[in-house]
Amino acid sequence: MCGNEALAEAAIIAGLDAYFGYPITPQNEISAYMSKRMPEEGRVFLQSESELAAINMVFGASATGKRTMTTSSSPGISLMQEGISYLAGAELPAVVVNVMRGGPGLGNIAPSQGDYFQATRGGGHGDYRTIVFGPSSVQELVDCMPLAFDLADQYRMTVVVLADGILGQMMEPIVFERKPRRKLPPKDWALTGAKGREQNIVRSLWLGDRVLEEHNYKLQAKYEQVQKNEVLCEQYEVETAEIVVVAYGVAARMVRAAVDRAREQGIKVGWIRPITLWPFPTEQISKAADEFRIFLTVEMSNGQMVEDIKLAAAGKTPVLFFGRPGGGIPSVDEILERIRQLTIPAKR
Amino acid sequence: MKPVFTRTATLKDCPTHYCAGCGHGIAHRLIAEAIDELDIRGRTIGIAPVGCAVLAYNYLDVDMIEVAHGRAPAVATGMKRTNPDKIIFSYQGDGDLAAIGTGEIIHAAHRGEQITVIFINNAVFGMTGGQMAPTTVLGQVTATTPQGRKPVGEGYPLQVSELLAILPGAIYVERCSVHNPAQVRKAKKAIKHAFELQLNGAQGLSLVEVLSPCPVYWRMTPVKAMEWIKKEMTKVFPLGRLKG
Ligand SMILES: Cc1ncc(C[n+]2csc(CCOP(=O)(O)OP(=O)(O)O)c2C)c(N)n1
Ligand code: SF4
Ligand SMILES: [Mg+2]
């Protein structure tokens, strides 16, 4: 079972009622898997005519209170941004998986982390956020699916799972967790037919003096709760480190190996791995930057997350970057070489 | 005294935001009547478009959603597939359905989604200031066809209902009008029939096109606008059952 199929099964176990999607490489295993498994479970699978339609099918199913998701890769996610903005405005829960590929444009089908900006800045129009996971193993991908659905329902938000072609294709031993996770509020806002009650309205249009401003403050208060409560982040040997390498997703695997080798060579280096990319582990980075440490951010892009590291470090320590865009993957040797360049052997 | 004409329950008792002589209000009432006569208020979910009818939920007292411009048939698909027992309808203008949302309506019909579509053709984009719509008739002056619509460069009026009627997944397509009381009654019958098909589990999409006046952007009095539907619009958009 590859990463794509594993995340699909994890979603089904998490109670996915309906899957909508349009084929695009490198995530086609998901829709193939769903087309077989969802009907077996008596649930909905539908291949839409476009990503625009897929995200709006999600919008419709979600508005009736169902657990629903769509998956795609970069160019398709661009098309979904209109719908994701409407989901944010209407406060509907949804899960969107982006198995990133190289861009811009049609780019290529190689793994990439080029959609970090798009995912962590909302992506569509308006003042909103989505929760973003950047898992780095198939197990973590599988574990974040039930959490993604719970968070989507709890906060009535879109949760984006940012994977890439490597994670999607990779096979690793996994266990599916089946226990229920969070106590969730009832979906009394859902459109179920106004039988014996007043009508429910799901909307993103807020006319009138200051009405939209108030709606945005309400969204903002929710986003602040998410920032306060939902940050996930892993660190290794940061306390003793003079150099801290920051990476997420598949890039973090290369970083881990490079850091282990550097430590064998006596270099005082550790790593920080954000698991949620929004909410970003700003506090953790900021704390690590309180003592003078050189930060090196490693990404499969020309430098996107590095901006968040710089914001968090707030000028307290230098923040450097190494990355490869367009499907390039930073190798362990390349990262090790960059780490070595940051040490100052003469003065020791 | 016994009242002979009253508000139907699903139509809310509130002032309208539509212009004098607008057809949207009539269409809303017909939908509300159909819902009440079929007694389906408690299981109906409506979809409001982007257009002058974006606030349709202020008038129709059923569960409703407001969606992105043109995407209603995809939203309806997501709802109906996950709630086959519910009655799902979309209410869409000609800009919404015949311009930006062409892909969504064609594919919803193509898949034979069991939904009901009420398509309000007023030959302009009302909400944004009366620009040309795909359904604008030749010679019609709009905010973006100051010389009148020309076939070369701007195209002929798009007959979406005819286009949809050829798809096997569209089981019922009828074009109606609200330009006089007799036509209003016919439109009511068509809308009710479209809902009934869905209620009876008929395997496909039902669509009722309603020719509807926009006196403001046709630059006419409400009475003249009704006459213009009869004289000009029905020439390009002939009334009657296209399918089913
Ligand atoms: C993506 C997007 N593009 C453009 C608009 C602007 N817009 C709002 S309504 C509309 C056209 C409405 O025309 P129609 O569907 O015929 O409805 P009417 O107002 O005539 O009833 C347009 C272009 C929008 N809201 N969203
Ligand atoms: S602009 Fe036209 S369609 Fe819109 S409310 Fe006024 S009359 Fe009706
Ligand atoms: Mg119109």
Side-chain angles (χ1 to χ4, degrees):
Chain A
M1 194 180 247
C2 66
N4 283 334
E5 291 165 332
L7 81 86
E9 185 59 34
I12 292 170
I13 293 168
L16 178 69
D17 293 303
Y19 171 88
F20 306 96
Y22 184 82
I24 184 169
T25 310
Q27 58 85 60
N28 291 321
E29 293 82 5
I30 303 176
S31 46
Y33 191 85
M34 290 296 193
S35 68
K36 184 170 161 286
R37 285 284 289 124
M38 290 298 272
E40 274 173 16
E41 297 284 328
R43 309 188 204 170
V44 175
F45 165 85
L46 196 156
Q47 178 173 328
S48 64
E49 70 271 25
S50 69
E51 289 86 353
L52 220 51
I55 194 74
N56 280 287
M57 290 170 184
V58 164
F59 193 80
S62 173
T64 67
K66 306 291 181 187
R67 280 202 159 172
T68 176
M69 81 166 183
T70 182
T71 65
S72 187
S73 179
S74 311
I77 298 292
S78 290
L79 268 181
M80 290 183 187
Q81 292 305 334
E82 177 194 57
I84 296 174
S85 169
Y86 276 74
L87 284 163
E91 294 192 86
L92 290 179
V95 174
V96 174
V97 178
N98 178 2
V99 185
M100 289 182 284
R101 57 187 253 180
L106 200 51
N108 62 17
I109 58 166
S112 161
Q113 295 183 330
D115 301 347
Y116 179 92
F117 280 154
Q118 187 193 50
T120 59
R121 266 62 181 168
H125 60 284
D127 219 344
Y128 74 95
R129 293 289 187 176
T130 58
I131 296 172
V132 185
F133 284 101
S136 80
S137 67
V138 179
Q139 183 65 56
E140 200 170 58
L141 184 60
V142 159
D143 290 343
C144 81
M145 292 311 293
L147 183 55
F149 282 104
D150 279 5
L151 291 175
D153 282 346
Q154 181 175 343
Y155 294 102
R156 294 173 61 182
M157 286 176 70
T158 295
V159 179
V160 175
V161 178
L162 265 193
D164 61 59
I166 298 181
L167 217 49
Q169 304 301 323
M170 195 152 66
M171 299 207 191
E172 286 181 318
I174 43 166
V175 262
F176 290 109
E177 204 183 334
R178 282 164 200 275
K179 61 172 196 248
R181 298 183 68 114
R182 292 195 183 199
K183 233 182 119 53
L184 297 167
K187 294 185 173 181
D188 49 12
W189 45 265
L191 307 182
T192 53
K195 192 169 185 164
R197 61 159 167 78
E198 291 196 354
Q199 79 178 145
N200 279 344
I201 299 171
V202 172
R203 62 194 299 185
S204 66
L205 178 74
W206 301 97
L207 298 174
D209 191 29
R210 292 198 46 161
V211 179
L212 181 60
E213 187 176 346
E214 289 304 327
H215 179 62
N216 268 281
Y217 289 139
K218 180 183 161 211
L219 295 182
Q220 190 54 37
K222 180 167 82 172
Y223 300 153
E224 276 161 21
Q225 282 303 307
V226 176
Q227 180 73 58
K228 203 171 116 214
N229 300 326
E230 309 298 348
V231 172
L232 291 175
C233 168
E234 196 185 13
Q235 342 197 347
Y236 175 72
E237 291 294 344
V238 172
E239 292 289 289
T240 60
E242 290 169 357
I243 300 166
V244 177
V245 190
V246 190
Y248 72 95
V250 159
R253 299 169 75 110
M254 264 61 89
V255 164
R256 201 174 314 178
V259 165
D260 286 346
R261 275 171 56 189
R263 291 187 73 86
E264 280 164 21
Q265 296 173 17
I267 302 171
K268 289 184 175 161
V269 54
W271 51 255
I272 297 181
R273 181 174 75 87
I275 300 170
T276 50
L277 305 179
W278 196 88
F280 194 71
T282 308
E283 243 172 68
Q284 287 82 344
I285 307 272
S286 173
K287 191 160 163 280
D290 278 340
E291 303 214 6
F292 185 85
R293 294 184 172 110
I294 299 176
F295 277 72
L296 172 67
T297 310
V298 177
E299 298 178 57
M300 285 146 61
S301 76
N302 266 329
Q304 301 194 6
M305 182 177 72
V306 63
E307 295 193 1
D308 284 335
I309 312 289
K310 283 182 179 166
L311 280 171
K316 291 185 282 191
T317 53
V319 176
L320 300 157
F321 172 74
F322 170 61
R324 290 182 54 183
I329 300 162
S331 70
V332 175
D333 284 343
E334 284 173 322
I335 298 167
L336 182 62
E337 183 52 32
R338 294 306 187 288
I339 293 171
R340 288 163 57 90
Q341 282 168 6
L342 296 177
T343 58
I344 313 162
K347 289 209 171 156
R348 294 219 177 117
Chain B
M1 207 163 55
K2 186 172 166 285
V4 289
F5 187 78
T6 53
R7 195 176 45 79
T8 185
T10 291
L11 197 65
K12 293 201 223 172
D13 191 3
C14 62
T16 180
H17 81 285
Y18 295 115
C19 311
C22 177
H24 278 303
I26 307 175
H28 287 7
R29 183 183 168 104
L30 301 185
I31 292 169
E33 282 180 1
I35 289 171
D36 288 337
E37 284 171 24
L38 296 170
D39 195 20
I40 51 172
R41 177 187 173 266
R43 55 189 284 202
T44 298
I45 305 173
I47 305 177
V50 176
C52 281
V54 62
L55 298 173
Y57 43 76
N58 284 354
Y59 308 113
L60 294 172
D61 190 23
V62 291
D63 273 9
M64 285 199 77
I65 190 169
E66 158 217 291
V67 304
H69 197 17
R71 316 291 174 228
V75 176
T77 300
M79 289 180 159
K80 186 70 182 186
R81 292 291 184 114
T82 48
N83 299 272
D85 57 320
K86 298 289 180 317
I87 304 299
I88 313 288
F89 77 92
S90 75
Y91 183 99
Q92 301 179 257
D94 40 21
D96 199 77
L97 181 138
I100 197 166
T102 328
E104 283 75 15
I105 186 62
I106 289 196
H107 284 278
H110 168 62
R111 287 189 302 266
E113 297 298 340
Q114 295 175 36
I115 58 170
T116 299
V117 178
I118 311 299
F119 167 38
I120 307 296
N121 178 358
N122 59 8
V124 283
F125 288 7
M127 187 174 205
T128 41
Q131 295 87 351
M132 180 184 73
T135 48
T136 293
V137 305
L138 293 183
Q140 187 182 339
V141 173
T142 71
T144 49
T145 54
Q147 313 294 327
R149 183 179 192 167
K150 295 182 290 289
V152 175
E154 284 148 2
Y156 289 87
L158 187 62
Q159 292 157 313
V160 209
S161 292
E162 279 81 352
L163 240 157
L164 293 169
I166 62 171
L167 301 174
I171 48 166
Y172 172 59
V173 182
E174 177 152 359
R175 184 182 287 120
C176 306
S177 172
V178 292
H179 67 263
N180 64 34
Q183 295 301 332
V184 171
R185 274 195 297 274
K186 273 193 185 166
K188 157 75 183 300
K189 242 179 97 187
I191 290 170
K192 191 172 168 187
H193 181 60
F195 276 112
E196 262 167 345
L197 284 171
Q198 189 180 162
L199 197 52
N200 297 336
Q203 299 290 310
L205 181 139
S206 51
L207 179 142
V208 179
E209 174 175 346
V210 180
L211 303 186
S212 171
C214 174
V216 172
Y217 292 114
W218 294 358
R219 301 166 172 84
M220 294 174 198
T221 63
V223 174
K224 279 265 174 302
M226 292 300 195
E227 286 166 11
W228 191 77
I229 293 182
K230 183 164 184 238
K231 261 179 52 203
E232 300 299 330
M233 269 189 102
T234 54
K235 279 199 288 197
V236 192
F237 301 110
L239 302 181
R241 208 175 264 217
L242 293 154
K243 175 102 172 258

